Amino acid sequence: MSSHSTTYVPKNAAAKWLESRLPIIGLVHSSFVAFPVPRNLTYFWTFGAILMVMLVIQLVTGIVLAMHYTPHADHAFTSVEHIMRNVEYGWLLRYMHANGASFFFIAVYIHIFRGLFYGSYKAPREVLWILGVIILLLMMATAFMGYVLPWGQMSFWGATVITNLFSVIPLVGDTIVSFLWGGYSVGNPTLNRFFSLHYLLPFMILGVAMLHVWALHVPGNNNPTGVPIKSGKDAVPFHPYMTVKDTFSIVCFLAVYAWFVFYLPNYLGHADNYVPANPSATPAHIVPEWYFLPFYAILRAVPDALLGVILMFASIAVLAFLPWLDTSRVRSGSYRPVFKVLFWGFVVTCLMLGWLGSRPAEGIYVILSQIFTFLYFAYFLIAMPLLGLLEKPLPLPNSITEAVLGKKAASGSGMPVGAAAEPQSKG
Amino acid sequence: MAETTTAQEPTRRDFLFLATGAVGAVGVAAAAWPFVAQLAPDAQTVAAGAPIEVDLAPIAEGQIVKMFWRGKLIFVRNRTPAEIEAARAVPLDDLKDPEADQARVMEGRENWLVIYGNCTHLGCVPLDFQGQYGGWFCPCHGSVFDTSGRIRQGPAPINLPVPPYRFATDTSIVIGEAA
Ligand code: HEM
Ligand code: FES
């Protein structure tokens, strides 16, 4: 998928025939076999592969669920119960899909924080990073609309609260909302269009994810030192080094996922969603799914509705500007003593916001939400621009190999056996 | 290849280019229109939003009755004299969205409060008789409404709106038709 020439040599006549017409095997070979990756990648670099697997799981389970599901306000709830009780293994497919969404978000948040810590958003990876932010937005839209489909109480009231966010837009807000609903309130037309879009968006995610990988394969992977690959010694070929590491990580991740699917299938959900949608009564305590909680806390932090909505969208949009807000040239947080502290402070801020999003909006919780909302934005808008100018970074290693093996070994031939044998097309 | 013209004077080619572009833009907009318009409430949904008649006779004093018009929840409250008094005692300056109780009910029928039942914050259904003003309390983000349905506390920006309605007889109203 990248510009570097392939080292793939077709071995048989059929492959040769295809390769001269559509060089697709060569493309796969140069992207996922010979592709040079830094030799020091940790397990934090396996979450991209995990995300790909989760996307496929969501697509496959979703498509089969859609064969049994009825997108109509009168039948949606019962059709989901039908899936749970009557369809062969329907319970499994639905629990895989519902918990799959949660695990998709667990993986994407780890993936994002990895990028934040190691400065993976900095030049030359800005486009790669922005494509990632777009994927996050699409995932949120997909998960939100998916959650509406079972048409339980949380589905209905979640849809009501979130679509009403758009009503705060001056002048055109009410029209936009009625165009979202296809009516005067959340109802059957809303459910129908949400189903259509819930089917569509994951395929758009797939498309953007391909662009994301393409944009990755131009500069190549970042790594824990943030120092780019300088010679063949710094890199190992994707296969077998990364394929094995990714596979092991995927298996571990799926084991935890399976534990939830089989033993705690409703732990991450809300009991209220097993009550059919009732437009005349709101559940006593409505909260979104856990992966939306930090944003929900930001929404509720300010008493002004319009400002709350703007802040909530800004909290995601600000990510896209991070490559330019962070003024430090040092990528990896490992070499930035002050940044390191602030980064962990930011992680705590996000966790606190998540917790506050699950609390009722009253008393001390509101004040805390305001404090942590401020800290959230301060990280991007105050800390990142200033820190790059004020902080004195630690000395960087001369190369990845030096960072891994120490100065002496790096100047000798201290590389894993076989690692340098593979011809490198890059470096 | 033919000689390219100099940049000085607009040529027939420039004109054709702009004209084609303009026609193309109109065409794209016209083609996009149906795809946006289909999102609007459809004819059936609009028809289902026809006015409804509500019999007030069975609603006892102090009672709140809920109904739907255009899929939207509506509260009809038969207010007690004390509740009316409470709503009228508060100075307008104390209100976030200043509106006299008199302006929210019909003259001579002060006991009947007819309002939309979805919180003006983000649309949850506030709980009857809750909150410190004995009006409504929204469980979602804590908005408090008084016995006139006016916002007194919390994030809701405006009062619970009054839908268009008129009295058909002394004991029945038509929701959806302005007085
Ligand atoms: C990015 C990938 C996806 C995510 C994050 C996602 C998320 C969700 C969520 C959170 C639910 C609600 C689960 C529940 O509580 O019952 C749901 C339901 C559903 N999704 Fe997806 N989904 C994805 C892809 C798909 C795809 C590709 C389809 C194919 C048509 C699909 C079809 C369905 C159906 C039919 C339901 C309703 C049945 C049910 O509630 O279990 N989903 N989705
Ligand atoms: S929806 Fe009622 S306070 Fe937010």
Side-chain angles (χ1 to χ4, degrees), chain A residues 157 184-185 193 282 296 300, chain B residues 39 70-72 122-123 125 141:
Chain A
W157 291 103
Y184 307 104
S185 58
R193 61 191 59 182
T282 311
Y296 194 57
R300 300 188 305 176
Chain B
L39 290 171
R70 289 178 147 189
K72 269 198 168 10
L122 294 172
V125 177
H141 318 102

Side-chain angles (χ1 to χ4, degrees), chain B residues 82-150:
Chain B
E83 288 166 349
I84 302 173
E85 178 51 34
R88 300 198 164 185
V90 48
L92 284 193
D93 293 348
D94 287 3
L95 300 177
K96 184 172 182 181
D97 177 13
E99 206 183 354
D101 183 59
Q102 283 83 342
R104 296 172 55 80
V105 294
M106 305 245 171
E107 216 183 318
R109 309 186 198 271
E110 285 82 5
N111 56 324
W112 293 108
L113 178 71
V114 182
I115 50 174
Y116 281 115
N118 289 101
C119 181
T120 54
H121 179 224
L122 294 172
C124 292
V125 177
L127 306 172
D128 302 342
F129 309 114
Q130 309 271 318
Q132 66 189 103
Y133 303 99
W136 286 269
F137 171 76
C138 183
C140 290
H141 318 102
S143 289
V144 182
F145 300 91
D146 64 14
T147 52
S148 189
R150 292 172 302 195

